[in-house]
Amino acid sequence: MAMLVTSLANGYYAKPLAGKSSSISLSKSSRRISLNVPRAQATPINPSIRKEEPKVVDNVPVAELSKPLTAYCRCWRSGTFPLCDGSHVKHNKETGDNVGPLLLKK
């Protein structure tokens, strides 16, 4: 991605190619550059912790919280990171993983 940002800063613009390809087309004036960008594979992020449980969720009581319950992401896929937005559900279905949020309770 750093190469794309540098190229964009030098006057290139990026647009995805049609279809489900992982290619990106960069254009500037009459020159055209195509790059094949590998897509990330969904892999489990919890290789060994409490694998007998359907979802690993820990509760931590904290006396000084503004909300009664706050969920923190542990799958690194949340759109509201560091807060959990439920993205672990899709991740767990795709990979067979069992990661869940960290719940802080007042």
Side-chain angles (χ1 to χ4, degrees), residues 56-60 69-74 82 84 100-104:
V56 177
V57 178
D58 291 312
N59 293 301
V60 178
L69 179 69
T70 305
Y72 285 92
C73 176
R74 292 195 296 187
C84 176
L102 170 65
L103 299 175
L104 298 184

Side-chain angles (χ1 to χ4, degrees), residues 27-62:
S27 300
K28 180 179 181 180
S29 305
S30 61
R31 291 188 279 176
R32 183 179 175 115
I33 301 167
S34 291
L35 304 171
N36 283 323
V37 180
R39 293 193 185 266
Q41 295 291 328
T43 57
I45 56 175
N46 177 18
S48 61
I49 299 170
R50 297 177 1 215
K51 294 303 274 187
E52 69 281 355
E53 296 179 29
K55 182 168 55 172
V56 177
V57 178
D58 291 312
N59 293 301
V60 178
V62 180

